[in-house]
Amino acid sequence: MPYCDLSSSGIRIFYRRCGHGSTKVLLIIGLAGTHDSWGPQIKGLTGVVEPNDEEAPPTETVGGESNTLGEEVREGDGIEVCCFDNRGMGRSSVPTEKSDYTTTIMAEDALALLDHLGWKKAHVFGHSMGAMIACKLAAMAPERIWSLALLNVTGGGFECFPKIDLHMLSLAFRFLRAKTPEQRAMVDLETHYTKEYLDECVGSRTRRDILYQDYVKAISSSGMQSNYGFEGQLNACWTHNMTSEELETIRSSGFLVSIIHGRDDIIAQLGHARRLAKKLEPVARMVELHGAHLVSHERPEEVNLALMELIKVSKSKLEPEELSHLAESESGCLVLKIQSPLNDRNKDGANSLIILCNIRS
């Protein structure tokens, strides 16, 4: 099994690699999620779903002269992704002290994994808590980042609170009482997806029925998250904070940021993501899609298109005016139109709009 051993703490981080190519992508999952949660993005980015059979030895020397990736990604090369279980979940170690879980510590885990893989630089994509960790990683080691994508991100502290209403209170109560994979799966579906999506029919069954069985199987396979892991990861979210200095590091380090969010997310509220995008101008773009907290599953085609566009634009190093698919709006923002194959679900067509805030090379 592929593990990254953190010798200083005894922590082991389980990871998987998929695909092959000089374009490297590190995927960081969120609270209570495992590496498997990135399935739609792994397939969309690499074209495969199965992990590499054998773990290849590192192909680069971090900080040294040997570096097969080089300073630019060659056109036509494939993509290799690495996804992993954060400490406290899945097959990774589960520290028992809450103080062992912060987004800074977990960003150090991710950085150690990059070193273990021999990846000098990577595109770093994070979801929810994973996006918080990705922010910390980008501020901690900006020289290791090609681009940054933050999916359904929010801030720490009070920003961790979901939208408070009777429905959310009911979900929270049921989540805390869930003791079996079946009980947990029912709550997860309602918090991760829109009702519209769950009620869609696929053949003779609804997506809710199909996903329920998938969730029960996945949770049964990986096991329910331990109390230590859940409380620790929750502590990481609650104590997360990006200082003005860290945000300035991200703004000034020369890589682009995409903030991708589902408009119907009841866990990570859209307003917080919009404010973060504003703070990261002029290198950030806000991508709003019709979907909930797992918009990466609900709208995989659009999310994958946005991620591929970020990779493409990042390696092109073109000036904004040189990108033919960009047009400047009256507000001064750059607007990218993408054709969505799923826009029949969103009649206003807004899910085909990506806003880029004055990208600089």
Side-chain angles (χ1 to χ4, degrees):
M1 288 291 184
Y3 283 93
C4 171
D5 292 302
L6 310 179
S7 56
S8 60
S9 61
I11 300 294
R12 305 188 80 198
I13 301 298
F14 177 83
Y15 67 94
R16 287 290 196 190
R17 299 167 77 170
C18 295
H20 299 277
S22 61
T23 300
K24 310 298 186 183
V25 177
L26 183 69
L27 302 174
I28 309 178
I29 198 57
L31 175 70
T34 68
H35 66 283
D36 290 322
S37 299
W38 285 109
Q41 281 60 61
I42 293 172
K43 178 64 180 297
L45 294 173
T46 70
V48 301
V49 293
E50 295 298 325
N52 297 339
D53 291 335
E54 296 182 3
E55 287 302 306
T59 56
E60 305 170 48
T61 301
V62 177
E65 295 181 358
S66 176
N67 177 14
T68 60
L69 180 57
E71 291 305 313
E72 299 201 27
V73 177
R74 295 184 296 276
E75 189 69 34
D77 281 348
I79 295 176
E80 180 180 13
V81 304
C82 177
C83 52
F84 63 99
D85 295 342
N86 286 307
R87 60 171 62 202
M89 187 56 191
R91 302 180 191 179
S92 291
S93 299
V94 182
T96 58
E97 299 294 329
K98 282 201 298 186
S99 59
D100 288 329
Y101 298 84
T102 69
T103 52
T104 297
I105 290 174
M106 297 165 89
E108 291 171 347
D109 293 347
L111 184 59
L113 179 55
L114 287 178
D115 290 344
H116 173 80
L117 296 171
W119 291 5
K120 182 178 179 181
K121 297 183 76 168
H123 299 272
V124 177
F125 303 159
H127 177 266
S128 194
M129 180 188 73
M132 301 181 193
I133 297 169
C135 279
K136 285 292 183 181
L137 174 59
M140 179 188 304
E143 72 282 358
R144 308 293 293 274
I145 309 296
W146 280 118
S147 71
L148 184 66
L150 309 174
L151 286 70
N152 296 82
V153 68
T154 189
F158 76 93
E159 289 192 12
C160 291
F161 286 114
K163 179 182 178 181
I164 303 299
D165 55 21
L166 291 178
H167 178 60
M168 177 52 71
L169 291 175
S170 172
L171 288 173
F173 179 74
R174 289 163 55 198
F175 177 86
L176 293 174
R177 288 178 59 88
K179 303 300 181 184
T180 67
E182 291 78 11
Q183 292 172 335
R184 176 64 182 273
M186 289 297 293
V187 178
D188 283 354
L189 290 182
E190 292 186 44
T191 54
H192 290 167
Y193 302 96
T194 61
K195 183 178 183 300
E196 172 189 7
Y197 181 75
L198 292 174
D199 289 344
E200 282 185 356
C201 288
V202 180
S204 60
R205 306 169 65 194
T206 64
R207 290 189 185 276
R208 186 188 304 273
D209 292 336
I210 297 171
L211 288 171
Y212 172 75
Q213 293 187 358
D214 290 343
Y215 268 58
V216 170
K217 181 179 178 180
I219 296 171
S220 300
S221 175
S222 62
M224 296 282 285
Q225 188 176 26
S226 70
N227 289 336
Y228 289 130
F230 176 72
E231 292 174 4
Q233 290 191 351
L234 200 62
N235 181 69
C237 294
W238 178 252
T239 58
H240 173 73
N241 177 57
M242 294 296 295
T243 67
S244 57
E245 291 80 9
E246 289 174 320
L247 293 174
E248 177 57 30
T249 296
I250 294 175
R251 278 197 303 267
S252 61
S253 293
F255 54 81
L256 303 179
V257 183
S258 283
I259 298 178
I260 304 170
H261 213 94
R263 296 192 198 93
D264 304 293
D265 192 341
I266 61 175
I267 297 177
Q269 297 187 59
L270 178 60
H272 299 320
R274 286 175 173 170
R275 279 191 287 275
L276 178 60
K278 187 71 175 176
K279 291 177 181 178
L280 291 177
E281 290 182 359
V283 298
R285 67 178 182 176
M286 187 73 201
V287 182
E288 297 181 14
L289 300 172
H290 179 63
H293 192 59
L294 268 184
V295 71
S296 55
H297 286 223
E298 191 166 345
R299 296 285 185 172
E301 290 89 350
E302 288 106 319
V303 170
N304 293 343
L305 184 57
L307 295 176
M308 290 297 291
E309 186 67 27
L310 177 62
I311 293 173
K312 179 181 177 181
V313 173
S314 295
K315 71 179 182 179
S316 71
K317 296 187 177 180
L318 296 177
E319 295 295 331
E321 59 271 15
E322 295 180 275
L323 300 175
S324 60
H325 53 280
L326 296 178
E328 190 167 348
S329 68
E330 292 181 359
S331 65
C333 290
L334 296 174
V335 178
L336 168 63
K337 291 285 189 176
I338 59 175
Q339 186 62 40
S340 165
L342 302 179
N343 58 13
D344 58 320
R345 294 199 201 125
N346 187 18
K347 301 305 182 183
D348 62 7
N351 64 325
S352 64
L353 181 67
I354 297 180
I355 299 177
L356 291 77
C357 300
N358 296 327
I359 293 178
R360 68 184 181 188
S361 61

